Amino acid sequence: GVSWKELNEAVAKAMQNYCGEQKRDELLLSGVELLERYEKEIVPQAYASNPHELMRLLEVFDILTVAQLILQSCLARRQSCEKLEFFRTDGDGNAPAPFICIRREGDRVLTREVPLDYAGDIWENYEKHNQDYIAEKAKEAQA
């Protein structure tokens, strides 16, 4: 079997090799394939000898899932963004960085771009949806 430490080290090494500072599709896709292989071949062989190791193993399963999300998100972002310290060597140049929304449906990963101001004015929406809280604070201020 495979211990949590071995699996954790393998995922970390995969992210170092395939999702470094300079990103490009070829490397990112190789990383996606490698993590999928880990999920199908190594995860079923993982073992825990005690409750402590079981907790660590569950944490590494979560790390594996997050690593897969990161790689898919990097594939979805086609342009470099200096503010995010995200650099593509094969991208569409520098452009305003929208939010990237990602979800999985079965075996497919679906992504979409959302403009940074998709929620509208923050203060206006806060006040609209928090009238009870605002009224309570006003009462406290008067007392």
Side-chain angles (χ1 to χ4, degrees):
V2 176
S3 72
W4 70 269
K5 289 179 183 179
E6 294 168 319
L7 181 57
N8 189 42
E9 185 178 327
V11 172
K13 192 68 169 173
M15 292 302 285
Q16 287 173 351
N17 291 338
Y18 299 106
C19 193
E21 185 174 344
Q22 299 290 325
K23 296 165 184 62
R24 65 179 195 267
D25 280 352
E26 179 185 355
L27 283 176
L28 294 169
L29 289 170
S30 295
V32 168
E33 291 174 14
L34 182 62
L35 293 182
E36 285 175 356
R37 253 194 357 253
Y38 288 171
E39 189 173 33
K40 290 177 182 160
E41 297 172 11
I42 295 179
V43 167
Q45 297 177 16
Y47 71 93
S49 301
N50 56 52
H52 172 78
E53 288 184 9
L54 178 61
M55 277 303 302
R56 296 294 164 249
L57 188 60
L58 294 174
E59 288 174 352
V60 175
F61 290 168
D62 287 342
I63 290 169
L64 176 61
T65 301
V66 170
Q68 291 171 321
L69 284 168
I70 290 169
L71 286 170
Q72 291 293 341
S73 299
C74 290
L75 282 166
R77 184 171 298 285
R78 301 299 311 157
Q79 68 279 353
S80 294
C81 178
E82 195 169 334
K83 285 184 180 180
L84 298 175
E85 295 184 20
F86 183 86
F87 304 103
R88 294 286 302 230
T89 58
D90 61 351
D92 300 335
N94 284 332
F99 287 122
I100 302 287
C101 297
I102 185 170
R103 73 175 192 273
R104 177 182 251 170
E105 286 186 4
D107 289 340
R108 296 183 328 142
V109 175
L110 303 174
T111 60
R112 68 184 174 107
E113 292 185 359
V114 179
L116 296 178
D117 62 348
Y118 76 99
D121 183 71
I122 293 174
W123 290 110
E124 182 180 318
N125 282 328
Y126 177 82
E127 290 175 356
K128 182 168 59 172
H129 295 289
N130 291 288
Q131 289 300 315
D132 295 341
Y133 176 78
I134 292 169
E136 183 179 314
K137 286 296 180 187
K139 285 180 185 177
E140 288 177 7
Q142 291 176 354

PDB file of all heavy atoms in Angstrom, residues 132-143:
ATOM      1  N   ASP A 132     -31.824  43.791   8.736  1.00  0.00           N
ATOM      2  CA  ASP A 132     -31.980  43.451  10.155  1.00  0.00           C
ATOM      3  C   ASP A 132     -30.725  43.822  10.940  1.00  0.00           C
ATOM      4  O   ASP A 132     -30.806  44.398  12.026  1.00  0.00           O
ATOM      5  CB  ASP A 132     -32.260  41.950  10.328  1.00  0.00           C
ATOM      6  CG  ASP A 132     -33.590  41.536   9.724  1.00  0.00           C
ATOM      7  OD1 ASP A 132     -34.444  42.427   9.504  1.00  0.00           O
ATOM      8  OD2 ASP A 132     -33.769  40.332   9.470  1.00  0.00           O
ATOM      9  N   TYR A 133     -29.567  43.499  10.398  1.00  0.00           N
ATOM     10  CA  TYR A 133     -28.300  43.792  11.061  1.00  0.00           C
ATOM     11  C   TYR A 133     -28.099  45.306  11.174  1.00  0.00           C
ATOM     12  O   TYR A 133     -27.694  45.808  12.227  1.00  0.00           O
ATOM     13  CB  TYR A 133     -27.155  43.152  10.279  1.00  0.00           C
ATOM     14  CG  TYR A 133     -25.793  43.476  10.823  1.00  0.00           C
ATOM     15  CD1 TYR A 133     -25.305  42.836  11.958  1.00  0.00           C
ATOM     16  CD2 TYR A 133     -24.989  44.421  10.207  1.00  0.00           C
ATOM     17  CE1 TYR A 133     -24.051  43.127  12.455  1.00  0.00           C
ATOM     18  CE2 TYR A 133     -23.733  44.727  10.701  1.00  0.00           C
ATOM     19  CZ  TYR A 133     -23.274  44.076  11.823  1.00  0.00           C
ATOM     20  OH  TYR A 133     -22.030  44.378  12.314  1.00  0.00           O
ATOM     21  N   ILE A 134     -28.390  46.043  10.115  1.00  0.00           N
ATOM     22  CA  ILE A 134     -28.225  47.496  10.117  1.00  0.00           C
ATOM     23  C   ILE A 134     -29.154  48.138  11.145  1.00  0.00           C
ATOM     24  O   ILE A 134     -28.749  49.021  11.904  1.00  0.00           O
ATOM     25  CB  ILE A 134     -28.464  48.065   8.700  1.00  0.00           C
ATOM     26  CG1 ILE A 134     -27.332  47.608   7.775  1.00  0.00           C
ATOM     27  CG2 ILE A 134     -28.563  49.574   8.727  1.00  0.00           C
ATOM     28  CD1 ILE A 134     -27.586  47.888   6.305  1.00  0.00           C
ATOM     29  N   ALA A 135     -30.401  47.656  11.223  1.00  0.00           N
ATOM     30  CA  ALA A 135     -31.352  48.201  12.186  1.00  0.00           C
ATOM     31  C   ALA A 135     -30.903  47.896  13.626  1.00  0.00           C
ATOM     32  O   ALA A 135     -31.005  48.745  14.510  1.00  0.00           O
ATOM     33  CB  ALA A 135     -32.739  47.595  11.940  1.00  0.00           C
ATOM     34  N   GLU A 136     -30.378  46.716  13.860  1.00  0.00           N
ATOM     35  CA  GLU A 136     -29.901  46.332  15.187  1.00  0.00           C
ATOM     36  C   GLU A 136     -28.717  47.211  15.607  1.00  0.00           C
ATOM     37  O   GLU A 136     -28.645  47.671  16.753  1.00  0.00           O
ATOM     38  CB  GLU A 136     -29.493  44.865  15.169  1.00  0.00           C
ATOM     39  CG  GLU A 136     -29.055  44.334  16.509  1.00  0.00           C
ATOM     40  CD  GLU A 136     -28.686  42.859  16.439  1.00  0.00           C
ATOM     41  OE1 GLU A 136     -29.440  42.091  15.837  1.00  0.00           O
ATOM     42  OE2 GLU A 136     -27.614  42.519  16.997  1.00  0.00           O
ATOM     43  N   LYS A 137     -27.801  47.466  14.693  1.00  0.00           N
ATOM     44  CA  LYS A 137     -26.646  48.319  14.998  1.00  0.00           C
ATOM     45  C   LYS A 137     -27.086  49.753  15.278  1.00  0.00           C
ATOM     46  O   LYS A 137     -26.507  50.435  16.119  1.00  0.00           O
ATOM     47  CB  LYS A 137     -25.631  48.284  13.848  1.00  0.00           C
ATOM     48  CG  LYS A 137     -24.858  47.019  13.777  1.00  0.00           C
ATOM     49  CD  LYS A 137     -23.995  46.849  15.006  1.00  0.00           C
ATOM     50  CE  LYS A 137     -23.200  45.584  14.959  1.00  0.00           C
ATOM     51  NZ  LYS A 137     -22.490  45.323  16.208  1.00  0.00           N
ATOM     52  N   ALA A 138     -28.107  50.225  14.554  1.00  0.00           N
ATOM     53  CA  ALA A 138     -28.618  51.580  14.783  1.00  0.00           C
ATOM     54  C   ALA A 138     -29.217  51.683  16.185  1.00  0.00           C
ATOM     55  O   ALA A 138     -29.021  52.692  16.869  1.00  0.00           O
ATOM     56  CB  ALA A 138     -29.641  51.942  13.734  1.00  0.00           C
ATOM     57  N   LYS A 139     -29.944  50.660  16.635  1.00  0.00           N
ATOM     58  CA  LYS A 139     -30.524  50.653  17.975  1.00  0.00           C
ATOM     59  C   LYS A 139     -29.419  50.672  19.032  1.00  0.00           C
ATOM     60  O   LYS A 139     -29.528  51.354  20.042  1.00  0.00           O
ATOM     61  CB  LYS A 139     -31.411  49.416  18.185  1.00  0.00           C
ATOM     62  CG  LYS A 139     -32.730  49.492  17.484  1.00  0.00           C
ATOM     63  CD  LYS A 139     -33.540  48.237  17.750  1.00  0.00           C
ATOM     64  CE  LYS A 139     -34.811  48.221  16.960  1.00  0.00           C
ATOM     65  NZ  LYS A 139     -35.582  46.973  17.151  1.00  0.00           N
ATOM     66  N   GLU A 140     -28.363  49.872  18.810  1.00  0.00           N
ATOM     67  CA  GLU A 140     -27.264  49.840  19.759  1.00  0.00           C
ATOM     68  C   GLU A 140     -26.565  51.185  19.847  1.00  0.00           C
ATOM     69  O   GLU A 140     -26.121  51.602  20.913  1.00  0.00           O
ATOM     70  CB  GLU A 140     -26.253  48.761  19.343  1.00  0.00           C
ATOM     71  CG  GLU A 140     -26.737  47.350  19.561  1.00  0.00           C
ATOM     72  CD  GLU A 140     -25.746  46.293  19.066  1.00  0.00           C
ATOM     73  OE1 GLU A 140     -24.618  46.668  18.664  1.00  0.00           O
ATOM     74  OE2 GLU A 140     -26.096  45.110  19.080  1.00  0.00           O
ATOM     75  N   ALA A 141     -26.448  51.861  18.724  1.00  0.00           N
ATOM     76  CA  ALA A 141     -25.785  53.165  18.694  1.00  0.00           C
ATOM     77  C   ALA A 141     -26.609  54.214  19.448  1.00  0.00           C
ATOM     78  O   ALA A 141     -26.045  55.132  20.059  1.00  0.00           O
ATOM     79  CB  ALA A 141     -25.550  53.615  17.246  1.00  0.00           C
ATOM     80  N   GLN A 142     -27.937  54.103  19.412  1.00  0.00           N
ATOM     81  CA  GLN A 142     -28.805  55.060  20.105  1.00  0.00           C
ATOM     82  C   GLN A 142     -28.824  54.825  21.609  1.00  0.00           C
ATOM     83  O   GLN A 142     -29.040  55.739  22.368  1.00  0.00           O
ATOM     84  CB  GLN A 142     -30.230  54.977  19.552  1.00  0.00           C
ATOM     85  CG  GLN A 142     -30.355  55.497  18.141  1.00  0.00           C
ATOM     86  CD  GLN A 142     -31.760  55.306  17.588  1.00  0.00           C
ATOM     87  OE1 GLN A 142     -32.609  54.695  18.220  1.00  0.00           O
ATOM     88  NE2 GLN A 142     -31.978  55.834  16.397  1.00  0.00           N
ATOM     89  N   ALA A 143     -28.591  53.589  22.033  1.00  0.00           N
ATOM     90  CA  ALA A 143     -28.678  53.244  23.450  1.00  0.00           C
ATOM     91  C   ALA A 143     -27.482  53.667  24.248  1.00  0.00           C
ATOM     92  O   ALA A 143     -26.549  54.202  23.996  1.00  0.00           O
ATOM     93  CB  ALA A 143     -28.854  51.741  23.613  1.00  0.00           C
TER      94      ALA A 143
END
